[in-house]
Amino acid sequence: MNPSQTKSNRCSIVLYAILFFTLFLGYSQKSVEAKPPNIVFMIADDWSYPHAGVYGDAVVRTPTFDGLAKNGAVFENAYCAAPSCSPSRASILLGKYPHQLESAGNLWSVIPSKFTNWMRMLEDSGYHTGKSRKGWGPGDFEAGGYSNNPAGKDYEDFDAFLEVKGKDRPFAFWFGSQDPHRDYETNAGAKTGMDVNRVSVPEFLPDVSCVRNDILDYYYEVERFDRECGNILTKLEREGLLKNTLIVMTSDNGMPFPRAKANLYDYGTRMPLAMYWKGHIEGGLRIKEFVNFVDFAPTFVQAAGLPQQAEFSGNSLLPLFDTEATKAGRDMVFLERERHANVRKGNLSYPSRAVRTHEYLYIQNFEPDRWPAGDPTVHQSVGQYGDVDNSITKYLIMQGGGNPEKDTYFELAFGKRPPEELYILEKDPYNLRNEANNPKYASALNLLRKHLIGWMENTGDLRAREPQTNYWDEVLYTPNYQMENKDISAEIQAYKQLVRDGGGFKDRSCLE
């Protein structure tokens, strides 16, 4: 072999080596990128939009949520499928609307294991899965065929979950806080330095100091949820896991105040939502398209690289993070509720369905003769108007039922509602003035009615065929606590005494 051939061969070897390492490195990089992501789902219990700093709330401090929004995406129009814990969480896990989930359309229900569960899909594909604190519920999952909570095997906390994960194994973790669910520690918010005078009181609640103080106590628990989520993110970063983890932070239903939780109005169904996934979600995205929580299941399945399930009613959210992609089909969202608590004689539901667009909220109430917040008389229930959690705000409004200046709040919170409701959101962001009988909006109402009926029919809603069906009135109710007759007059007197004793309320006349 002459010197020129030797030199040529050496050059070829070098070129092949360069090519090999280039291809190898490229393949390795693709392999790293193709690794299924970890998933961390962090869900509050009774937290409403817009109570976070990134949404413009000037009082509550939510640095973790705001940080996820800054470095990922924040959603302006995210909605739970139902404004009640169990059906909302069932829809999240199973990717179907509550009316498609048999008894799981109710609170304190049974959740059937026959439906595809994204957490179980991930576990079957090799993921380490688990939860801490509140998963699906309240209800009976064992009666439905589950051996563990549908959100995963229970762990004391995130640290305990990671300890048994195994090296290089992807994981899916559900953190379910009980905050900001009631009961609250009175004055907890004020003691942290939050200013009661800066609270923005929703217009369906009386703007008096004791209501403002109640909202501060709610904020206190929102802030605690935010801190605990921050601790999880800190752990991820310390363990080097943050770079390939899809993080979701949200709530299951609205704030525990009258006309919010357990209602299809915005303060019952519109949720805070932020998502982060480094390299996949551009920082600072503000997504205005409508999202329903049935979309979480197909999102997580797609992110994990698993086959999409035809039975899911939702659609993956991942295309929303492509800033150049067309995002058709997200100009409205459908909402519903059945039975929340046992608060009507005969344990009856208050069935409603709704469609929400950027311009309108349209609601159908199928049993308008029933009390939407529960019966005014006490029977075997949690108290009068029992779908509204007991609180100083609730008691204040109940006392105002005979006061002409406060009757509006009473009717909004507890009064019966007509078969149809229509709210014009630009003029009425708090959903206070029903325009269903206004001829000016007749064409809009007819179109919304058609959209709602079409959705009900397409998703197999029993109420599309039998509007007054008693199915959800009769399915099993499984409370794990002793129900009791409850007279709230003693509690009202206790709150009055708290005010007289200087319980932190500047306006001492608000309960008189």
Side-chain angles (χ1 to χ4, degrees), residues 356 416 466:
R356 171 59 154 86
K416 290 185 177 179
E466 302 176 44

Side-chain angles (χ1 to χ4, degrees), residues 281-506:
I281 301 177
E282 180 182 330
L285 278 181
R286 295 190 80 100
I287 294 176
K288 299 184 183 301
E289 285 80 10
F290 282 98
V291 166
N292 188 294
F293 283 4
V294 297
D295 296 329
F296 283 133
T299 300
F300 297 145
V301 166
Q302 182 182 358
L306 300 178
Q308 202 57 259
Q309 302 298 297
E311 70 180 86
F312 288 155
S313 296
N315 297 291
S316 173
L317 300 175
L318 297 187
L320 294 178
F321 306 133
D322 183 350
T323 55
E324 297 181 359
T326 302
K327 302 174 181 66
R330 289 194 175 272
D331 54 352
M332 64 183 65
V333 69
F334 297 96
L335 313 165
E336 63 184 278
R337 67 149 288 171
E338 284 292 341
R339 187 176 62 216
H340 184 61
N342 178 8
V343 298
R344 296 170 197 87
K345 187 176 181 180
N347 199 10
L348 299 179
S349 172
Y350 189 79
S352 302
R353 303 290 187 267
V355 55
R356 171 59 154 86
T357 69
H358 289 291
E359 296 84 15
Y360 304 105
L361 171 63
Y362 169 71
I363 302 173
Q364 278 194 15
N365 299 308
F366 295 96
E367 298 287 356
D369 291 334
R370 298 178 186 177
W371 295 96
D375 289 349
T377 55
V378 177
H379 59 283
Q380 193 72 5
S381 75
V382 293
Q384 293 170 283
Y385 306 114
D387 269 353
V388 181
D389 291 5
N390 291 330
S391 69
I392 193 169
T393 299
K394 174 181 176 178
Y395 299 153
L396 168 65
I397 295 175
M398 288 179 67
Q399 281 188 291
N403 185 334
E405 295 180 358
K406 297 181 180 179
D407 269 354
T408 298
Y409 298 116
F410 186 91
E411 287 302 313
L412 290 172
F414 308 122
K416 290 185 177 179
R417 296 167 186 168
E420 292 185 301
E421 301 175 67
L422 178 67
Y423 299 96
I424 317 305
L425 301 174
E426 183 179 7
K427 301 177 181 180
D428 184 17
Y430 293 102
N431 317 147
L432 304 177
R433 296 180 293 279
N434 182 14
E435 300 283 4
N437 294 323
N438 188 337
K440 179 180 178 181
Y441 301 108
S443 60
L445 185 142
N446 288 332
L447 182 59
L448 292 165
R449 186 191 292 127
K450 288 180 181 178
H451 283 310
L452 185 63
I453 292 172
W455 167 74
M456 292 172 64
E457 292 174 344
N458 291 337
T459 57
D461 191 341
L462 181 58
R463 292 202 184 274
R465 304 190 308 273
E466 302 176 44
Q468 277 71 48
T469 179
N470 60 2
Y471 174 79
W472 285 282
D473 297 327
E474 296 182 347
V475 293
L476 187 64
Y477 182 74
T478 64
N480 64 1
Y481 59 90
Q482 182 63 41
M483 307 297 286
E484 60 180 16
N485 292 332
K486 194 167 187 177
D487 182 355
I488 67 166
S489 62
E491 295 188 39
I492 293 174
Q493 293 304 316
Y495 274 114
K496 286 185 177 182
Q497 188 62 50
L498 177 66
V499 172
R500 285 191 286 268
D501 291 344
F505 306 116
K506 294 179 181 179

Side-chain angles (χ1 to χ4, degrees), residues 72-88:
V74 66
F75 291 74
E76 301 284 356
N77 288 290
Y79 288 78
C80 60
S84 176
C85 293
S86 306
S88 174

